[in-house]
Amino acid sequence: AIPLFGLATAALMAGMQLGVPGSGSVSSGIERFLRSNARHVAPNTIVVADGRTAHAVCFIYQRADAYMLHEKGELDYGLAYPDAEHRYFTQESIVPFLAERGTNDVVAIVREGHIDHVLEAVPEGEVVDAFRYLRFVRFPALKAETPDES
């Protein structure tokens, strides 16, 4: 009886691994989503994330200069410092920033509900890709960089 119970338990555990998606599948999906859009993130591209995406975005793109939109998440403490306060935007305060972005592309990797209002106010934003509830939005530079005439 005990060996049968052990076999039944092992079969159930194996079936659960195959039949129930794990949280790792979401993490690896986000990683694939970010890597597939890496061509839009140049060294001078301004990167915007939210509390849910910030860690993955900074890790995958090797960036320590991301801006935050709508929610701070675990980064609330660090964003409270005077030299970092400018890195946080509400849905309203990012609109003027995007309107004056100059020669830099801006990409926002945020949840769809956090970017909808911004896309209405800044219509040149283009949803490049989507994964579940996330949107990868590109705001192209307003003007091209001009070489120094020295």
Side-chain angles (χ1 to χ4, degrees), residues 84-95:
E85 289 175 333
H86 71 284
R87 294 205 167 274
Y88 171 73
F89 294 111
T90 63
Q91 290 176 330
E92 291 75 27
S93 68
I94 197 169
V95 172

Side-chain angles (χ1 to χ4, degrees), residues 28-148:
S28 62
I30 292 171
E31 180 180 351
R32 281 192 301 272
F33 170 68
L34 293 173
R35 289 192 191 282
S36 71
N37 288 292
R39 68 188 177 283
H40 300 291
V41 184
N44 65 338
T45 301
I46 297 169
V47 177
V48 179
D50 63 21
R52 182 77 48 104
T53 62
H55 295 342
V57 166
C58 290
F59 179 76
I60 297 297
Y61 297 138
Q62 297 294 295
R63 301 292 291 260
D65 60 350
Y67 289 79
M68 300 294 293
L69 176 65
H70 185 65
E71 62 182 27
K72 300 174 185 178
E74 295 176 2
L75 303 176
D76 184 44
Y77 181 80
L79 290 168
Y81 283 96
D83 63 339
E85 289 175 333
H86 71 284
R87 294 205 167 274
Y88 171 73
F89 294 111
T90 63
Q91 290 176 330
E92 291 75 27
S93 68
I94 197 169
V95 172
F97 175 81
L98 291 170
E100 299 172 7
R101 64 191 174 278
T103 60
N104 292 355
D105 286 352
V106 177
V107 295
I109 304 101
V110 296
R111 285 184 283 183
E112 62 187 333
H114 297 170
I115 199 70
D116 295 343
H117 169 73
V118 177
L119 287 171
E120 291 172 11
V122 187
E124 61 269 12
E126 171 194 5
V127 177
V128 174
D129 199 359
F131 172 73
R132 297 185 185 210
Y133 54 85
L134 296 177
R135 300 295 173 263
F136 191 105
V137 182
R138 181 176 171 266
F139 298 90
L142 294 175
K143 52 189 172 193
E145 288 187 47
T146 55
D148 292 336

